[in-house]
Amino acid sequence: MTQLTGQPMTDDDIVHLTVPADGGYLGVLRTATAGLAARLQFALDEIEDLRIAVDEACAMLLAIATRDAELECRFAVTEDALTVEVTVPTVRGATLPSESSFAWKVLTALTTSASARAADGRATIALLTRRASGY
């Protein structure tokens, strides 16, 4: 298995969390994000930026999620990067904000890269953050 960073991975480097698609559960994902980023020795400001980006990505997805949906979050950990993919089932005809929207500008400002895809009634936002400081 190879992650977006091009580095080989093992299953031990993947964390899956599933929570109800409700804003009240986003704290769980923010905490997991911070914990994994801290494990990679991200600087405090990098951790906070990533937490905000995950929160923003989830907010985008919650706006188009089906009723009683679950928010699936996949964290992929490599030596110097953390990739977070958040997925929800979407209501018929739902669209993600355009890449020129303010929400996307926030995501791209806070992460190394951000992308989105929608297919088969599901939408996913992927965020990649590389550690800026060398440890």
Side-chain angles (χ1 to χ4, degrees), residues 10-76:
T10 67
D11 287 340
D12 292 342
D13 298 324
I14 305 293
V15 176
H16 292 271
L17 287 176
T18 302
V19 297
D22 179 290
Y25 292 92
L26 296 185
V28 173
L29 298 180
R30 287 190 301 266
T31 300
T33 300
L36 291 169
R39 179 177 167 219
L40 289 171
Q41 300 180 351
F42 277 38
L44 289 178
D45 59 334
E46 293 171 320
I47 293 171
E48 189 58 26
D49 285 352
L50 188 53
R51 282 171 41 110
I52 293 167
V54 167
D55 202 50
E56 187 67 32
C58 289
M60 282 188 215
L61 292 174
L62 290 179
I64 60 172
T66 59
R67 184 182 168 123
D68 298 324
E70 290 186 327
L71 190 69
E72 297 174 20
C73 192
R74 178 182 181 271
F75 299 90

Side-chain angles (χ1 to χ4, degrees), residues 76-89:
V77 181
T78 61
E79 185 177 314
D80 67 343
L82 179 61
T83 301
V84 182
E85 292 182 354
V86 187
T87 304
V88 295

